[in-house]
Amino acid sequence: ELLLLLLPYMASKIRFLCLHGFRTSAAIFRQQVRLAQWGQRLLDMVDLTFLDAPWPATGPSDVEQKFSPPYFEWYHANDDLTEFVGIEGSISYLFDFIRLHGPFDGLIGFSQGAIMAAALMGFQQKGTYSSGIVPMQLLIIIGGGIPSSPLLKAALTEVTRCPSLHLIGKEDFMRERGQQLTLCFENPVVVYHPRGHVVPNLDADAERAFINFLTTAKAVSSRHKY
């Protein structure tokens, strides 16, 4: 069952579609953001829509000890990363959702959701899958990385020209892949935090960088007429 969790929308806010991590859910991503205790000034700038992936988890979740089911995934792969299942269906599902429930100013993704979000912005620039949507302009990547899937890699074969903010954990096992992903975007804003593969708390400098990114993005978005 599709689960949508909406924070109250105000026209002045920047509207993001939020894509959760591997074998988690919209509800879990919302809780992760809440537990990260991002500053109220930052949260007041955004309107967040959290969406479940289309596929039920095909295996155990790493968050079972912390968060309740159900769990979902955007795709899954075999151990040697030679077979990927569910990606094309997820791409179509996401662009269909954006057509029906948009426009959105941008995407926020964590982990596997961040990989999907980055690829969607690349596909949008190429004009693949994305016909009939109001173009999204902004991207926030949390604990993401360069895709392993050939289909998703194909979305990022040219530099994607959208403002992007990348939150990278210094102890994240995906740190190197996250750094590689920044190279796929024009003038990325990169913010490091001291933790691992999590939706992080933000220190004063990180929060300031996040707010500056949103402030600049909001000025760009206000010039775009839906």
Side-chain angles (χ1 to χ4, degrees):
E1 182 180 348
L2 179 67
L3 174 61
L4 296 178
L5 298 167
L6 306 179
L7 297 182
Y9 175 69
M10 295 173 57
S12 62
K13 293 190 175 187
I14 304 169
R15 192 173 189 221
F16 285 101
L17 179 60
C18 304
L19 311 184
H20 62 78
F22 182 57
R23 294 181 182 166
T24 65
S25 68
I28 291 171
F29 193 14
R30 185 182 188 184
Q31 290 180 65
Q32 289 170 321
V33 170
R34 181 177 296 154
L35 290 169
Q37 297 181 321
W38 292 351
Q40 195 59 47
R41 182 183 171 201
L42 188 162
L43 293 175
D44 285 344
M45 298 178 71
V46 296
D47 162 49
L48 306 179
T49 299
F50 295 82
L51 177 65
D52 282 330
W55 314 119
T58 55
S61 170
D62 289 341
V63 302
E64 288 176 356
Q65 301 303 313
K66 296 181 180 179
F67 300 104
S68 301
Y71 309 116
F72 301 90
E73 61 193 29
W74 299 103
Y75 59 89
H76 67 269
N78 61 357
D79 289 341
D80 57 4
L81 301 179
T82 57
E83 296 180 12
F84 296 83
V85 178
I87 292 177
E88 195 152 11
S90 286
I91 295 168
S92 297
Y93 165 83
L94 283 163
F95 279 123
D96 286 346
F97 181 86
I98 292 163
R99 286 186 195 96
L100 287 171
H101 300 281
F104 292 95
D105 296 300
L107 299 171
I108 298 177
F110 172 56
S111 191
Q112 190 183 66
I115 294 171
M116 291 296 298
L120 257 62
M121 297 304 284
F123 284 131
Q124 175 184 267
Q125 180 170 294
K126 291 173 177 287
T128 309
Y129 299 103
S130 60
S131 62
I133 71 163
V134 176
M136 298 170 290
Q137 301 173 65
L138 313 171
L139 177 66
I140 296 175
I141 295 291
I142 307 170
I146 201 79
S148 300
S149 150
L151 176 58
L152 296 181
K153 278 183 181 177
L156 300 170
T157 54
E158 59 187 52
V159 174
T160 302
R161 297 180 301 277
C162 72
S164 64
L165 173 68
H166 303 253
L167 300 181
I168 299 176
K170 293 180 179 179
E171 301 299 324
D172 191 344
F173 71 93
M174 288 183 64
R175 175 179 173 172
E176 184 175 339
R177 288 177 61 193
Q179 292 168 326
Q180 292 171 346
L181 182 62
T182 67
L183 303 178
C184 298
F185 292 88
E186 188 175 70
N187 300 321
V189 176
V190 182
V191 175
Y192 286 93
H193 63 86
R195 301 183 64 195
H197 195 63
V198 297
V199 178
N201 305 97
L202 302 174
D203 64 20
D205 289 339
E207 183 165 322
R208 189 177 305 112
F210 205 141
I211 289 172
N212 287 343
F213 174 82
L214 291 175
T215 301
T216 303
K218 189 172 183 178
V220 172
S221 181
S222 68
R223 296 195 296 269
H224 182 82
K225 303 299 183 184
Y226 293 133

